[in-house]
């Protein structure tokens, strides 16, 4: 119901924008469509990878690797995967939902998503180039540690 309400509100604002300035609204819609076209190949490839991963890995395997009972080792594994993976947020959250439904633990998924969003092992050369080695390493290290703090907080709240 909430999603339908959000679509109605968004459509209402679109109509309001169209009434106010037809030219700007059409330009914005063209830009939005272009962005969608640019994101679509990434999105589809990630969905295929997720589908294959969920087909190959049974819920028991996922639960054993990053389930609630995997503890700190599961959190460490999830954080390392999250640190080196470069997935956009709009794909990461459905992936997290699918993993949770397949038996992953809340703390493990929290650390995975946190490191995925905040730690950039793949992008660290670019960070070093623009911010310097010390700043890039410090930022990534603090983000890695903070991801565990977030995961622990989520674990405490959801128990």
């Amino acid at each position: 119901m909430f999603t339908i309400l959000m679509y109605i509100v968004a459509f209402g604002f679109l109509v309001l924008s169209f009434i106010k300035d037809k030219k700007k609204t059409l330009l914005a819609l063209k830009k939005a469509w272009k962005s969608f076209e640019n994101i679509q190949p990434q999105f589809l490839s990630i969905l295929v990878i997720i589908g294959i991963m969920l087909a190959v890995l049974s819920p028991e395997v996922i639960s054993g690797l990053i389930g609630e009972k995997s503890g700190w080792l599961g959190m460490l594994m999830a954080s390392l995967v999250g640190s080196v993976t470069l997935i956009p947020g709009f794909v990461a959250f459905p992936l997290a939902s699918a993993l949770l439904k397949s038996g992953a633990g809340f703390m493990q998924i929290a650390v995975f998503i946190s490191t995925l969003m905040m730690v950039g092992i793949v992008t660290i050369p670019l960070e070093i180039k623009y911010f310097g080695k010390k700043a890039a390493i410090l930022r990534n290290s603090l983000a890695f540690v903070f991801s565990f703090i977030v995961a622990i907080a989520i674990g405490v709240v959801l128990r």
Side-chain angles (χ1 to χ4, degrees), residues 26-92:
L26 290 175
L27 181 64
L29 287 172
K30 285 179 185 175
K31 284 184 178 182
W33 183 255
K34 196 70 171 165
S35 293
F36 175 71
E37 285 177 335
N38 290 337
I39 289 171
Q40 194 174 18
Q42 275 183 322
F43 186 68
L44 290 175
S45 63
I46 296 295
L47 285 178
V48 167
I49 291 168
I50 292 169
I52 291 170
M53 186 181 77
L54 291 175
V56 170
L57 299 175
S58 67
E60 293 80 25
V61 172
I62 292 172
S63 182
L65 292 173
I66 57 171
E68 261 185 68
K69 293 182 178 146
S70 67
W72 287 99
L73 186 61
M75 286 177 64
L76 182 62
M77 232 185 317
S79 70
L80 293 175
V81 171
S83 295
V84 298
T85 309
L86 191 62
I87 299 175
F90 66 86
V91 176

